[in-house]
Amino acid sequence: MRQRKAKNLKEKLERCSEYIIEAPCPEACRTCFDGEGPLFLEIGCGKGSFIIKKALENPDRNYIAVEGQETVLLRALEKAMEVPGGIPNLKFMMTFIHSMDEFFEEGQLDGIYLNFSDPWPKARHAKRRLTWRGRLMDYKWALKPGGFIEFKSDNDQLYEFTMDEIEAAGLDVAEKTTDLHSSSYESRLTTTEYEEKFRSRGKNINYVKVVV
């Protein structure tokens, strides 16, 4: 759903500039953190709840969150700005990712999170889905050996599609379930805004983790 543009958006984004990678590219993403540590990426971070929790829970790890809708990203940035003491291991990119080599180096990432991605339900739009096999192979290129992709969705059809695409891409499934919060998987512990909403309605959360 397209969001209504926030009033004074440019000025509000400028106030959050400490968290924004202004000209995202492989060098910028490599040098944007002061501390060394493993690097994780969330594609489509929405309002930022998940990635902010991750960064606060793991101060020894670095996180980059990507969101292409400016107004949605602003909400995530403002949440980060409210954290006392700041979150030095978190940055945001205001863009859409079409090819990983635009922003990252080969083997740079330790993990990628895909949370409640747009299902693009029409068959002709299958290649736009973030778990299409071509995208999965692109993510693999940017991941270190042993790195992972974690996917969560309330959409059962997208989950089935994703499982087929994982098999087509030749990736190894480490964890999978159609009811994450009835499982013992660690990924149930850090939730998104959508996840909380769907859980409150009794909707199952689909989940799969692949390791490259």
Side-chain angles (χ1 to χ4, degrees), residues 71 78 98 128 133 144 160 202:
T71 300
E78 289 178 337
H98 300 292
R128 296 186 183 185
R133 67 192 68 179
K144 296 176 181 177
E160 292 171 4

Side-chain angles (χ1 to χ4, degrees), residues 121-183:
K122 294 182 179 179
R124 68 175 183 270
H125 293 154
K127 290 185 179 181
R128 296 186 183 185
R129 298 169 191 160
L130 295 188
T131 54
W132 172 61
R133 67 192 68 179
R135 289 186 179 270
L136 292 175
M137 294 306 294
D138 194 33
Y139 304 150
K140 180 181 178 181
W141 174 88
L143 286 165
K144 296 176 181 177
F148 65 81
I149 303 166
E150 285 193 6
F151 165 85
K152 292 182 184 180
S153 180
D154 65 299
N155 190 294
D156 300 335
Q157 290 73 34
L158 181 59
Y159 175 74
E160 292 171 4
F161 170 85
T162 298
M163 296 305 297
D164 289 341
E165 295 301 288
I166 287 170
E167 182 177 0
L171 299 175
D172 295 326
V173 174
E175 300 173 349
K176 66 175 182 178
T177 178
T178 57
D179 192 357
L180 176 60
H181 292 279
S182 293
S183 77

Side-chain angles (χ1 to χ4, degrees), residues 24-26 29 41 43 66 93 95-106 108-109 112 127-130 132 134-143:
C25 65
C29 291
L41 172 70
I43 301 177
V66 175
M93 298 196 310
T95 188
F96 293 99
I97 291 182
H98 300 292
S99 179
M100 296 294 282
D101 62 6
E102 295 180 79
F103 306 104
F104 301 101
E105 298 169 345
E106 184 175 7
Q108 183 178 1
L109 299 175
I112 296 172
K127 290 185 179 181
R128 296 186 183 185
R129 298 169 191 160
L130 295 188
W132 172 61
R135 289 186 179 270
L136 292 175
M137 294 306 294
D138 194 33
Y139 304 150
K140 180 181 178 181
W141 174 88
L143 286 165

Side-chain angles (χ1 to χ4, degrees), residues 24-91:
C25 65
E27 182 178 0
C29 291
R30 177 170 49 82
T31 61
C32 63
F33 296 105
D34 294 332
E36 295 291 332
L39 179 61
F40 300 85
L41 172 70
E42 183 182 16
I43 301 177
C45 71
K47 298 175 186 177
S49 176
F50 174 87
I51 204 68
I52 289 171
K53 291 175 188 175
K54 278 290 183 185
L56 291 172
E57 291 166 357
N58 302 282
D60 58 333
R61 300 179 178 183
N62 295 321
Y63 294 87
I64 294 176
V66 175
E67 176 55 58
Q69 298 189 60
E70 293 178 330
T71 300
V72 177
L73 179 64
L74 176 61
R75 296 181 183 181
L77 289 164
E78 289 178 337
K79 283 184 183 179
M81 292 290 290
E82 293 172 358
V83 175
I87 316 175
N89 60 328
L90 175 61
K91 297 291 183 184

